[in-house]
Every structure is written in structure tokens, then in C-alpha cells.
Amino acid sequence: MKISVQYSTMIVNNLEESVAFYADVLGFEEGYHVKLPVGAITIMNSPGGASVELIEAPQFPTGLYSVGTDVDNLDEALEILKSKGCTIL
């Protein structure tokens, strides 16, 4: 089963600082930016095709919220996971 991580979503304390880290240190480029009534979202894209969604939203705790992946065959991947004891919700 081939799995590739495509995106992750993180709540950050300082969006400007986080965007600078992904751009200057990791070589990501800004995809787009959206201002929210409270906070903002910036999508950063890596040269390899993965992206990270950075969200500054003080009403939520800081941390990793989701990781999205691609698989070659979803049915096959689910069967492999079930055979290893995973519960599919």
C-alpha cells in the first residue's frame, strides 16, 4: 500500500512567523491567504506537491488538526487497515 501525505492542517499562534518559517526554511510558497473575522488562513505549498494549511484562530488550541493522504486504491487500503485491526469509521 503506497501512501503519500498531501496536506496537513495546523492551528498556529503567529501566522506571519509560521509562514516565514515554511517559506524561508523549508522552501514552501504561499498558495493563498484568507482573512477571517477572527484570524486568518494561509496555504503553503511545497516544491514536492504537498501543502500545509496554517490557521491563526485564537479561539482554538494550537496544534496539528489533520493530515490528508493519497493512496493508489482506497478499497485495498481499507482492507489492509481492517486486516491489521483498525476500525473504519
Side-chain angles (χ1 to χ4, degrees):
M1 172 173 59
K2 178 185 172 196
I3 299 174
S4 58
V5 174
Q6 295 301 309
Y7 74 89
S8 59
T9 301
M10 289 184 269
I11 306 295
V12 298
N13 290 324
N14 184 313
L15 186 59
E16 186 176 316
E17 185 178 284
S18 297
V19 167
F21 172 79
Y22 277 89
D24 299 341
V25 176
L26 299 178
F28 282 54
E29 293 184 1
E30 187 173 326
Y32 66 88
H33 178 81
V34 177
K35 285 192 159 276
L36 302 172
V38 178
I41 299 171
T42 300
I43 303 295
M44 301 295 292
N45 299 311
S46 76
S51 61
V52 62
E53 178 182 31
L54 302 170
I55 303 173
E56 183 178 284
Q59 66 271 33
F60 298 111
T62 301
L64 179 64
Y65 273 70
S66 66
V67 175
T69 61
D70 280 347
V71 295
D72 290 333
N73 182 310
L74 181 58
D75 292 326
E76 178 184 304
L78 291 173
E79 287 305 315
I80 291 169
L81 292 170
K82 286 178 194 175
S83 74
K84 295 183 184 241
C86 294
T87 301
I88 308 300
L89 303 175

